[in-house]
Amino acid sequence: MSTPQLDKTYSPHDVENRWYQRWIDGGLFHADPAHTGQPYSMVIPPPNVTGSLHVGHALNNTLQDILSRWRRMQGRNVLWMPGTDHAGIATQNVVERQLQAEGTSRETLGREAFLRRVWKWKEQSGGTIIGQLKKLGASCDWERERFTMDPGLSEAVREVFVRLHQDELLYRGERLINWCPRCLTALSDIEVEHEETTGKLYTIRYRLADDPTQCLLVATTRPETLFGDTAVAVHPEDDRFRHLIGKHVRLPLTDRAIRIVGDSILVDREFGTGAVKITPAHDFNDFEAGERHALKRIKILDLHAHLRLADSLADAAVAEAVENLPVAKARPKIEQLLTDQGFLEKSEPHKMALGKCYRCKTVVEPFLSDQWFVKIKPLAEPAIQVVEDGRVRIIPEAWKNNYLGWMRDIKDWCVSRQIWWGHQIPAWYCETCYGTPFLRRSSDGAPLIPSDAVAIVAKTMPDACPHGHRDALVQDPDVLDTWFSSALWPFSTLGWPKQTPELKAYYPTSTLVTGLDILFFWVARMIMMGLKFMGDVPFRDVYIHALVRDAEGQKMSKSKGNVIDPLHVMEQYGTDALRFTLAAMASPGRDVKLAEERIEGYRNFTNKIWNAARFLLMHLDGERVDVPPAQRSFPDRWILSRLNTAISTVTQELEQYRFDRASSAVYQFIWHEYCDKYIEMVKPALKDATSEQAKSTRQTLAETYETMMRLLHPFMPFITEEIWQTLPHAGASIVRSPFPTTRTDWESQEVEQEFALLEECRALMNQARAILGYPAGKKLHFRAHGKTSKVGSALRKHKFLIEYMENVEDLWIADTFEGSNPGGLLVLTGNSVQVRTSMEDADLQKAKDNVIKQNMLLQKEVARTQQKLSNPDFVAKAPPDVLSEHHERLKRESQIIQLFQEALGHIEVHTWDRKRHERS
RNA sequence: GGGCGGAUAGCUCAAUUGGGAGAGCGCUGCCCUUACAAGGCAGAGGUCACAGGUUCGAUCCCUGUUCCGCCUACCA
């Protein structure tokens, strides 16, 4: 029989493409709800359809793939559900930029044509990231790929919207919301990123209406909003200002007088001047203060956050100077005007948090408008409950409090977006009932639905309004927040609202793997919606992985130029190397700092694996005899026992989502136990290919390597499949072969202990070589002493192996440490083994230096141990085993020192001999 | 402002009931030994951030300090 041979270095490229295609062709990732295994399901965190793979995706999906492949091999009924989300704002931005480049705009095209255009773009470019996930080896069930705007998922969205509305958990109203003046849409609170910046704190004089010689000093960071002021607040218990409450001040630069009110909530007496201007239409706190004092709301900004002072009664000259300017440009002009007219008391630098749009980084404005909100408290309560009682586990647990804290303080969720790409809100309004046709926005012709128009919420357009009017129904032009549909992902992808076999088999899903950054955006909302509409949690475990940073710990960003492109890495080092690196570095609660050298290190690991396989195939020709483990050779029994431990460790660590420990365990085993030790040990046995020994060793080699490939497969799917296919194996693909399980007949404590003796012996021999300056290639004579006859006989049993591994000739073995050393040998002692060797050809001066150095180190340690043992408290209070360990240590160290002293004496004699010899 | 996490070898990180701190990468030396130089063998390298406390004994537990992250917040 002949086995195939492999190339000298592993070249990932062809291997990866070839096997991925075959896995797909074989339908190996396809999930069948009728499969008899216990279901194991995950939904992918849907990447933006506009996106392309970055390292964060690579980490996220590598971990999911490890879980999927591992569970699949364990025989579970695995579904890993893939797909993308429509990323409303981001996608619309992309297509709008294209239109802009073409000299047109979405308004010119009109809604329908624009949407056709986006769909076209999505069909062409939307698949990019999916292709990249496939390159990564993701074993998703691609036949089930979903998109948040698929018909089925859109139906789920409408169903949820209607039911939330029926349950009075959804309402429309005029509120202050976060507005992005560039995207021209509302944002939810968490779509605003806060960034610390240094601005200015301006102190402005507001003159009293009835005594213009007196003024109230008001502090603000936004002087341009004074045009929207409708009151000034002071603390009702502030003696400085209490007498002013109820009086009026003249608003600078305008022809208005505004009231002074007392407000203990809004005003912090310690801060600024103790007096605050109230701008209800442009500040969240002021909005609430405005409600408390029944203040008018004056809007002074338009959709683009340009000043519009028509309602503010601003001085004509002022209005002319700043009208239609963006805030950033208007502010310095206002500052100048205030200065010129003597209103500005002072301005000083001031640190503050500025809110920016998470999509485009434009400064967001609090903006008064009609929006749809989800009433969130009733949904949040059960979602808090399930995390508190552990029905949903958050791993690592440290994030649990983070989640709970946020959920307990959650605010209503603004779900309407003033864009076109997305799920258009299933609400209609009757113009006939309203009395007049709705106004249309001149920019895009979208209807402006008045606050008091009554919404008819339904899954499909109603034939008529409740009053029977048929011809003037207008659909709400807004679309829903993308996260609204993402929140349904764990059940909408399984067919809900239809009761499908998939839904039955795979919901609740088993695990969700995601990054911390979307814990609130997505995880929290899935839990709320899952509980509300499925009556059960959407997943049992949430594994939260860290952010990927660059080697310096900086967040990767295109502008910093420190982005590691996973596709480039895969091309250069192979996908398996990238995956393994990410898994190995995924320690919980810590950011992943990724440096390319680490990937290179694991590329080397793939090459090591590859070459070990080459070694196997070179020696696998010939008969293999399968004898019971207990009857196999010592190296065979040892590697089986170690393999057993590795299987147990990897499995346990994966169960606890310790990808880092699992991968380092498999790395350690393969490189340092299998390659460094085991393969070296079996070489002699394979020399005579026809021997009985060779036959059973070949069997062990094949069996262990094949098992090892299955153990490694979830981490490195490609190379393991490639090698596995060349080895004796059962089954068509490693993808569906069983994950290794432990076997009691493989484990042998006895063999492992014997091996430890060999290692001790070898280490001492190496140390002796180093001290005496003998090169590794030089054959030496050694004497090995066992501390007991049991150790001695173990050494005797493995005499040949020691000789072979350590390049030793005629090893002489004794059963005791006792016995004189008449030959002036160098003696080194370990716990159970002592080795002695000749110094004949050594570099004696070097040896002397080495021994003196070692001796000094040891003496320091002895002194420490002695000191501890001479402390009566220690002797009295330390536990007996610690005490005896210290005594033992002292004894051993003292012995070694004595032996070193002797060695020094011998070295002197040898040196002297050698000199005499040279002279004569 | 509040909360959480971190600080251990040159770098990145491990280390559970408190009893002489380990790995990978890097570095140094020797070796092209027929699986692998993307390799082998050996070695150097630590005040476990700082200061107190508890203890016979602290990298570990407690308190405080410094520095670095992250989350969160309406201090105009």
PDB file of all heavy atoms in Angstrom, chain A residues 268 271 285 603 671 864 877 889, chain B residues 20 35 38 40 56 74-76:
ATOM      1  N   ASP A 268     -28.101  74.194  39.082  1.00  0.00           N
ATOM      2  CA  ASP A 268     -27.100  73.812  40.053  1.00  0.00           C
ATOM      3  C   ASP A 268     -26.466  75.123  40.532  1.00  0.00           C
ATOM      4  O   ASP A 268     -25.798  75.806  39.778  1.00  0.00           O
ATOM      5  CB  ASP A 268     -26.071  72.900  39.386  1.00  0.00           C
ATOM      6  CG  ASP A 268     -24.891  72.611  40.302  1.00  0.00           C
ATOM      7  OD1 ASP A 268     -24.863  73.118  41.432  1.00  0.00           O
ATOM      8  OD2 ASP A 268     -23.995  71.871  39.874  1.00  0.00           O
ATOM      9  N   PHE A 271     -22.736  75.839  39.913  1.00  0.00           N
ATOM     10  CA  PHE A 271     -22.143  75.911  38.594  1.00  0.00           C
ATOM     11  C   PHE A 271     -22.364  77.271  37.932  1.00  0.00           C
ATOM     12  O   PHE A 271     -23.434  77.870  38.054  1.00  0.00           O
ATOM     13  CB  PHE A 271     -22.710  74.814  37.695  1.00  0.00           C
ATOM     14  CG  PHE A 271     -22.005  74.721  36.378  1.00  0.00           C
ATOM     15  CD1 PHE A 271     -20.843  73.971  36.258  1.00  0.00           C
ATOM     16  CD2 PHE A 271     -22.460  75.431  35.271  1.00  0.00           C
ATOM     17  CE1 PHE A 271     -20.171  73.903  35.051  1.00  0.00           C
ATOM     18  CE2 PHE A 271     -21.793  75.371  34.069  1.00  0.00           C
ATOM     19  CZ  PHE A 271     -20.653  74.608  33.955  1.00  0.00           C
ATOM     20  N   ASN A 285     -32.781  69.090  28.738  1.00  0.00           N
ATOM     21  CA  ASN A 285     -33.174  69.521  30.084  1.00  0.00           C
ATOM     22  C   ASN A 285     -34.117  70.696  30.028  1.00  0.00           C
ATOM     23  O   ASN A 285     -35.066  70.784  30.807  1.00  0.00           O
ATOM     24  CB  ASN A 285     -31.938  69.913  30.886  1.00  0.00           C
ATOM     25  CG  ASN A 285     -31.075  68.724  31.141  1.00  0.00           C
ATOM     26  OD1 ASN A 285     -31.577  67.670  31.529  1.00  0.00           O
ATOM     27  ND2 ASN A 285     -29.797  68.867  30.889  1.00  0.00           N
ATOM     28  N   ARG A 603       1.268  31.070  11.727  1.00  0.00           N
ATOM     29  CA  ARG A 603       1.525  30.549  10.386  1.00  0.00           C
ATOM     30  C   ARG A 603       2.616  29.469  10.498  1.00  0.00           C
ATOM     31  O   ARG A 603       2.533  28.403   9.901  1.00  0.00           O
ATOM     32  CB  ARG A 603       1.973  31.674   9.456  1.00  0.00           C
ATOM     33  CG  ARG A 603       2.089  31.321   7.994  1.00  0.00           C
ATOM     34  CD  ARG A 603       3.457  30.747   7.599  1.00  0.00           C
ATOM     35  NE  ARG A 603       4.569  31.486   8.156  1.00  0.00           N
ATOM     36  CZ  ARG A 603       5.243  32.425   7.514  1.00  0.00           C
ATOM     37  NH1 ARG A 603       4.914  32.727   6.297  1.00  0.00           N
ATOM     38  NH2 ARG A 603       6.250  33.020   8.096  1.00  0.00           N
ATOM     39  N   TRP A 671       2.606  20.905  19.249  1.00  0.00           N
ATOM     40  CA  TRP A 671       4.001  21.279  18.984  1.00  0.00           C
ATOM     41  C   TRP A 671       4.953  20.618  19.989  1.00  0.00           C
ATOM     42  O   TRP A 671       5.921  19.949  19.625  1.00  0.00           O
ATOM     43  CB  TRP A 671       4.170  22.807  19.018  1.00  0.00           C
ATOM     44  CG  TRP A 671       5.410  23.283  18.327  1.00  0.00           C
ATOM     45  CD1 TRP A 671       6.664  22.745  18.450  1.00  0.00           C
ATOM     46  CD2 TRP A 671       5.532  24.354  17.395  1.00  0.00           C
ATOM     47  NE1 TRP A 671       7.558  23.422  17.671  1.00  0.00           N
ATOM     48  CE2 TRP A 671       6.884  24.427  17.014  1.00  0.00           C
ATOM     49  CE3 TRP A 671       4.621  25.284  16.862  1.00  0.00           C
ATOM     50  CZ2 TRP A 671       7.366  25.384  16.106  1.00  0.00           C
ATOM     51  CZ3 TRP A 671       5.108  26.235  15.961  1.00  0.00           C
ATOM     52  CH2 TRP A 671       6.457  26.279  15.591  1.00  0.00           C
ATOM     53  N   ARG A 864      17.549  31.742  52.106  1.00  0.00           N
ATOM     54  CA  ARG A 864      16.151  32.128  52.294  1.00  0.00           C
ATOM     55  C   ARG A 864      15.357  31.040  52.993  1.00  0.00           C
ATOM     56  O   ARG A 864      14.560  31.300  53.881  1.00  0.00           O
ATOM     57  CB  ARG A 864      15.509  32.451  50.939  1.00  0.00           C
ATOM     58  CG  ARG A 864      15.846  33.846  50.449  1.00  0.00           C
ATOM     59  CD  ARG A 864      15.329  34.041  49.061  1.00  0.00           C
ATOM     60  NE  ARG A 864      13.867  34.151  49.006  1.00  0.00           N
ATOM     61  CZ  ARG A 864      13.176  34.163  47.880  1.00  0.00           C
ATOM     62  NH1 ARG A 864      13.796  34.055  46.717  1.00  0.00           N
ATOM     63  NH2 ARG A 864      11.873  34.279  47.896  1.00  0.00           N
ATOM     64  N   LYS A 877       3.168  27.700  62.911  1.00  0.00           N
ATOM     65  CA  LYS A 877       1.872  27.954  62.291  1.00  0.00           C
ATOM     66  C   LYS A 877       1.688  27.473  60.859  1.00  0.00           C
ATOM     67  O   LYS A 877       0.563  27.326  60.405  1.00  0.00           O
ATOM     68  CB  LYS A 877       1.577  29.464  62.355  1.00  0.00           C
ATOM     69  CG  LYS A 877       1.342  29.942  63.770  1.00  0.00           C
ATOM     70  CD  LYS A 877       1.073  31.428  63.814  1.00  0.00           C
ATOM     71  CE  LYS A 877       0.877  31.867  65.268  1.00  0.00           C
ATOM     72  NZ  LYS A 877       0.818  33.319  65.409  1.00  0.00           N
ATOM     73  N   ARG A 889      13.270  20.839  50.649  1.00  0.00           N
ATOM     74  CA  ARG A 889      13.943  21.756  49.745  1.00  0.00           C
ATOM     75  C   ARG A 889      15.347  22.085  50.272  1.00  0.00           C
ATOM     76  O   ARG A 889      16.325  22.050  49.536  1.00  0.00           O
ATOM     77  CB  ARG A 889      13.117  23.036  49.612  1.00  0.00           C
ATOM     78  CG  ARG A 889      13.633  23.976  48.531  1.00  0.00           C
ATOM     79  CD  ARG A 889      12.933  25.309  48.607  1.00  0.00           C
ATOM     80  NE  ARG A 889      11.481  25.185  48.463  1.00  0.00           N
ATOM     81  CZ  ARG A 889      10.620  26.092  48.897  1.00  0.00           C
ATOM     82  NH1 ARG A 889      11.056  27.167  49.545  1.00  0.00           N
ATOM     83  NH2 ARG A 889       9.341  25.925  48.723  1.00  0.00           N
TER      84      ARG A 889
ATOM     85  P     G B  20       5.799  29.187  47.679  1.00  0.00           P
ATOM     86  OP1   G B  20       6.857  28.871  48.624  1.00  0.00           O
ATOM     87  OP2   G B  20       5.584  30.523  47.128  1.00  0.00           O
ATOM     88  O5'   G B  20       5.781  28.212  46.430  1.00  0.00           O
ATOM     89  C5'   G B  20       6.867  28.008  45.502  1.00  0.00           C
ATOM     90  C4'   G B  20       7.507  29.310  45.167  1.00  0.00           C
ATOM     91  O4'   G B  20       8.318  29.674  46.301  1.00  0.00           O
ATOM     92  C3'   G B  20       8.412  29.271  43.958  1.00  0.00           C
ATOM     93  O3'   G B  20       8.195  30.406  43.160  1.00  0.00           O
ATOM     94  C2'   G B  20       9.820  29.279  44.574  1.00  0.00           C
ATOM     95  O2'   G B  20      10.728  29.894  43.733  1.00  0.00           O
ATOM     96  C1'   G B  20       9.573  30.072  45.843  1.00  0.00           C
ATOM     97  N9    G B  20      10.533  29.864  46.879  1.00  0.00           N
ATOM     98  C8    G B  20      10.967  28.718  47.471  1.00  0.00           C
ATOM     99  N7    G B  20      11.836  28.911  48.404  1.00  0.00           N
ATOM    100  C5    G B  20      11.992  30.288  48.432  1.00  0.00           C
ATOM    101  C6    G B  20      12.801  31.104  49.234  1.00  0.00           C
ATOM    102  O6    G B  20      13.566  30.772  50.136  1.00  0.00           O
ATOM    103  N1    G B  20      12.650  32.453  48.922  1.00  0.00           N
ATOM    104  C2    G B  20      11.815  32.936  47.940  1.00  0.00           C
ATOM    105  N2    G B  20      11.788  34.245  47.772  1.00  0.00           N
ATOM    106  N3    G B  20      11.044  32.200  47.194  1.00  0.00           N
ATOM    107  C4    G B  20      11.192  30.886  47.490  1.00  0.00           C
ATOM    108  P     A B  35      13.519  12.912   8.923  1.00  0.00           P
ATOM    109  OP1   A B  35      14.059  13.277  10.220  1.00  0.00           O
ATOM    110  OP2   A B  35      13.044  11.519   8.691  1.00  0.00           O
ATOM    111  O5'   A B  35      12.289  13.838   8.581  1.00  0.00           O
ATOM    112  C5'   A B  35      11.757  13.839   7.254  1.00  0.00           C
ATOM    113  C4'   A B  35      10.744  14.949   7.173  1.00  0.00           C
ATOM    114  O4'   A B  35       9.712  14.700   8.165  1.00  0.00           O
ATOM    115  C3'   A B  35      11.291  16.326   7.521  1.00  0.00           C
ATOM    116  O3'   A B  35      11.881  16.939   6.389  1.00  0.00           O
ATOM    117  C2'   A B  35      10.027  17.048   7.990  1.00  0.00           C
ATOM    118  O2'   A B  35       9.236  17.435   6.884  1.00  0.00           O
ATOM    119  C1'   A B  35       9.292  15.928   8.733  1.00  0.00           C
ATOM    120  N9    A B  35       9.611  15.893  10.164  1.00  0.00           N
ATOM    121  C8    A B  35      10.577  15.152  10.797  1.00  0.00           C
ATOM    122  N7    A B  35      10.611  15.325  12.104  1.00  0.00           N
ATOM    123  C5    A B  35       9.601  16.244  12.331  1.00  0.00           C
ATOM    124  C6    A B  35       9.121  16.838  13.515  1.00  0.00           C
ATOM    125  N6    A B  35       9.616  16.577  14.727  1.00  0.00           N
ATOM    126  N1    A B  35       8.101  17.712  13.406  1.00  0.00           N
ATOM    127  C2    A B  35       7.609  17.970  12.184  1.00  0.00           C
ATOM    128  N3    A B  35       7.972  17.468  10.998  1.00  0.00           N
ATOM    129  C4    A B  35       8.974  16.599  11.146  1.00  0.00           C
ATOM    130  P     A B  38      12.867  29.861   7.241  1.00  0.00           P
ATOM    131  OP1   A B  38      12.648  29.157   5.982  1.00  0.00           O
ATOM    132  OP2   A B  38      13.306  31.261   7.239  1.00  0.00           O
ATOM    133  O5'   A B  38      11.562  29.736   8.146  1.00  0.00           O
ATOM    134  C5'   A B  38      11.308  30.664   9.243  1.00  0.00           C
ATOM    135  C4'   A B  38      10.177  30.067  10.060  1.00  0.00           C
ATOM    136  O4'   A B  38       8.951  30.295   9.308  1.00  0.00           O
ATOM    137  C3'   A B  38      10.345  28.563  10.195  1.00  0.00           C
ATOM    138  O3'   A B  38      10.545  28.046  11.494  1.00  0.00           O
ATOM    139  C2'   A B  38       9.306  27.925   9.214  1.00  0.00           C
ATOM    140  O2'   A B  38       8.674  26.842   9.790  1.00  0.00           O
ATOM    141  C1'   A B  38       8.369  29.080   8.886  1.00  0.00           C
ATOM    142  N9    A B  38       8.113  29.159   7.439  1.00  0.00           N
ATOM    143  C8    A B  38       9.005  29.351   6.426  1.00  0.00           C
ATOM    144  N7    A B  38       8.470  29.412   5.237  1.00  0.00           N
ATOM    145  C5    A B  38       7.111  29.246   5.487  1.00  0.00           C
ATOM    146  C6    A B  38       6.006  29.214   4.631  1.00  0.00           C
ATOM    147  N6    A B  38       6.083  29.354   3.327  1.00  0.00           N
ATOM    148  N1    A B  38       4.800  29.040   5.190  1.00  0.00           N
ATOM    149  C2    A B  38       4.704  28.917   6.516  1.00  0.00           C
ATOM    150  N3    A B  38       5.691  28.928   7.420  1.00  0.00           N
ATOM    151  C4    A B  38       6.885  29.105   6.837  1.00  0.00           C
ATOM    152  P     G B  40      11.171  23.855  16.514  1.00  0.00           P
ATOM    153  OP1   G B  40      10.083  23.163  17.201  1.00  0.00           O
ATOM    154  OP2   G B  40      11.412  25.287  16.774  1.00  0.00           O
ATOM    155  O5'   G B  40      12.541  23.091  16.784  1.00  0.00           O
ATOM    156  C5'   G B  40      12.613  21.687  16.626  1.00  0.00           C
ATOM    157  C4'   G B  40      13.991  21.205  16.979  1.00  0.00           C
ATOM    158  O4'   G B  40      14.950  21.794  16.073  1.00  0.00           O
ATOM    159  C3'   G B  40      14.493  21.623  18.354  1.00  0.00           C
ATOM    160  O3'   G B  40      13.991  20.767  19.373  1.00  0.00           O
ATOM    161  C2'   G B  40      15.998  21.505  18.187  1.00  0.00           C
ATOM    162  O2'   G B  40      16.410  20.146  18.217  1.00  0.00           O
ATOM    163  C1'   G B  40      16.174  22.027  16.762  1.00  0.00           C
ATOM    164  N9    G B  40      16.455  23.464  16.740  1.00  0.00           N
ATOM    165  C8    G B  40      15.593  24.481  16.403  1.00  0.00           C
ATOM    166  N7    G B  40      16.151  25.660  16.481  1.00  0.00           N
ATOM    167  C5    G B  40      17.455  25.411  16.896  1.00  0.00           C
ATOM    168  C6    G B  40      18.536  26.296  17.151  1.00  0.00           C
ATOM    169  O6    G B  40      18.554  27.535  17.056  1.00  0.00           O
ATOM    170  N1    G B  40      19.674  25.619  17.560  1.00  0.00           N
ATOM    171  C2    G B  40      19.766  24.267  17.698  1.00  0.00           C
ATOM    172  N2    G B  40      20.951  23.798  18.103  1.00  0.00           N
ATOM    173  N3    G B  40      18.774  23.422  17.460  1.00  0.00           N
ATOM    174  C4    G B  40      17.652  24.062  17.062  1.00  0.00           C
ATOM    175  P     C B  56       0.127  35.493  62.610  1.00  0.00           P
ATOM    176  OP1   C B  56      -0.180  34.328  63.450  1.00  0.00           O
ATOM    177  OP2   C B  56       0.174  36.858  63.178  1.00  0.00           O
ATOM    178  O5'   C B  56       1.513  35.228  61.868  1.00  0.00           O
ATOM    179  C5'   C B  56       2.748  35.365  62.570  1.00  0.00           C
ATOM    180  C4'   C B  56       3.864  34.772  61.753  1.00  0.00           C
ATOM    181  O4'   C B  56       3.691  33.332  61.674  1.00  0.00           O
ATOM    182  C3'   C B  56       3.902  35.207  60.294  1.00  0.00           C
ATOM    183  O3'   C B  56       4.574  36.438  60.124  1.00  0.00           O
ATOM    184  C2'   C B  56       4.650  34.057  59.627  1.00  0.00           C
ATOM    185  O2'   C B  56       6.039  34.141  59.840  1.00  0.00           O
ATOM    186  C1'   C B  56       4.108  32.848  60.405  1.00  0.00           C
ATOM    187  N1    C B  56       2.952  32.214  59.748  1.00  0.00           N
ATOM    188  C2    C B  56       3.163  31.449  58.582  1.00  0.00           C
ATOM    189  O2    C B  56       4.307  31.356  58.135  1.00  0.00           O
ATOM    190  N3    C B  56       2.107  30.861  57.980  1.00  0.00           N
ATOM    191  C4    C B  56       0.896  30.985  58.507  1.00  0.00           C
ATOM    192  N4    C B  56      -0.112  30.383  57.875  1.00  0.00           N
ATOM    193  C5    C B  56       0.650  31.753  59.678  1.00  0.00           C
ATOM    194  C6    C B  56       1.692  32.350  60.270  1.00  0.00           C
ATOM    195  P     C B  74     -27.714  62.514  29.996  1.00  0.00           P
ATOM    196  OP1   C B  74     -29.124  62.934  30.091  1.00  0.00           O
ATOM    197  OP2   C B  74     -27.251  61.714  28.851  1.00  0.00           O
ATOM    198  O5'   C B  74     -26.784  63.795  30.081  1.00  0.00           O
ATOM    199  C5'   C B  74     -26.941  64.811  29.112  1.00  0.00           C
ATOM    200  C4'   C B  74     -27.042  66.150  29.781  1.00  0.00           C
ATOM    201  O4'   C B  74     -28.340  66.292  30.417  1.00  0.00           O
ATOM    202  C3'   C B  74     -26.073  66.353  30.938  1.00  0.00           C
ATOM    203  O3'   C B  74     -24.805  66.744  30.456  1.00  0.00           O
ATOM    204  C2'   C B  74     -26.760  67.424  31.758  1.00  0.00           C
ATOM    205  O2'   C B  74     -26.552  68.691  31.203  1.00  0.00           O
ATOM    206  C1'   C B  74     -28.230  67.057  31.604  1.00  0.00           C
ATOM    207  N1    C B  74     -28.758  66.259  32.731  1.00  0.00           N
ATOM    208  C2    C B  74     -29.005  66.885  33.953  1.00  0.00           C
ATOM    209  O2    C B  74     -28.758  68.084  34.053  1.00  0.00           O
ATOM    210  N3    C B  74     -29.497  66.173  34.977  1.00  0.00           N
ATOM    211  C4    C B  74     -29.749  64.875  34.829  1.00  0.00           C
ATOM    212  N4    C B  74     -30.231  64.208  35.876  1.00  0.00           N
ATOM    213  C5    C B  74     -29.500  64.201  33.597  1.00  0.00           C
ATOM    214  C6    C B  74     -29.017  64.923  32.589  1.00  0.00           C
ATOM    215  P     C B  75     -23.502  66.316  31.165  1.00  0.00           P
ATOM    216  OP1   C B  75     -22.696  65.734  30.103  1.00  0.00           O
ATOM    217  OP2   C B  75     -23.824  65.542  32.367  1.00  0.00           O
ATOM    218  O5'   C B  75     -22.836  67.670  31.612  1.00  0.00           O
ATOM    219  C5'   C B  75     -22.790  68.017  32.981  1.00  0.00           C
ATOM    220  C4'   C B  75     -23.668  69.193  33.255  1.00  0.00           C
ATOM    221  O4'   C B  75     -24.122  69.080  34.605  1.00  0.00           O
ATOM    222  C3'   C B  75     -22.972  70.559  33.143  1.00  0.00           C
ATOM    223  O3'   C B  75     -23.223  71.184  31.901  1.00  0.00           O
ATOM    224  C2'   C B  75     -23.548  71.321  34.310  1.00  0.00           C
ATOM    225  O2'   C B  75     -24.794  71.908  34.003  1.00  0.00           O
ATOM    226  C1'   C B  75     -23.730  70.219  35.340  1.00  0.00           C
ATOM    227  N1    C B  75     -22.482  69.900  36.066  1.00  0.00           N
ATOM    228  C2    C B  75     -22.373  70.254  37.409  1.00  0.00           C
ATOM    229  O2    C B  75     -23.323  70.811  37.940  1.00  0.00           O
ATOM    230  N3    C B  75     -21.224  69.988  38.087  1.00  0.00           N
ATOM    231  C4    C B  75     -20.224  69.377  37.470  1.00  0.00           C
ATOM    232  N4    C B  75     -19.132  69.135  38.158  1.00  0.00           N
ATOM    233  C5    C B  75     -20.314  68.975  36.100  1.00  0.00           C
ATOM    234  C6    C B  75     -21.435  69.273  35.440  1.00  0.00           C
ATOM    235  P     A B  76     -21.946  71.593  31.060  1.00  0.00           P
ATOM    236  OP1   A B  76     -21.460  70.439  30.324  1.00  0.00           O
ATOM    237  OP2   A B  76     -21.114  72.234  32.081  1.00  0.00           O
ATOM    238  O5'   A B  76     -22.386  72.689  29.969  1.00  0.00           O
ATOM    239  C5'   A B  76     -22.923  73.883  30.400  1.00  0.00           C
ATOM    240  C4'   A B  76     -24.414  73.826  30.214  1.00  0.00           C
ATOM    241  O4'   A B  76     -25.000  74.007  31.510  1.00  0.00           O
ATOM    242  C3'   A B  76     -24.954  74.923  29.310  1.00  0.00           C
ATOM    243  O3'   A B  76     -26.029  74.408  28.515  1.00  0.00           O
ATOM    244  C2'   A B  76     -25.422  75.977  30.292  1.00  0.00           C
ATOM    245  O2'   A B  76     -26.483  76.716  29.788  1.00  0.00           O
ATOM    246  C1'   A B  76     -25.828  75.135  31.500  1.00  0.00           C
ATOM    247  N9    A B  76     -25.639  75.850  32.758  1.00  0.00           N
ATOM    248  C8    A B  76     -24.928  76.979  32.976  1.00  0.00           C
ATOM    249  N7    A B  76     -24.971  77.406  34.223  1.00  0.00           N
ATOM    250  C5    A B  76     -25.765  76.496  34.860  1.00  0.00           C
ATOM    251  C6    A B  76     -26.195  76.389  36.182  1.00  0.00           C
ATOM    252  N6    A B  76     -25.861  77.250  37.126  1.00  0.00           N
ATOM    253  N1    A B  76     -26.973  75.349  36.509  1.00  0.00           N
ATOM    254  C2    A B  76     -27.309  74.489  35.546  1.00  0.00           C
ATOM    255  N3    A B  76     -26.978  74.480  34.264  1.00  0.00           N
ATOM    256  C4    A B  76     -26.185  75.530  33.973  1.00  0.00           C
TER     257        A B  76
END
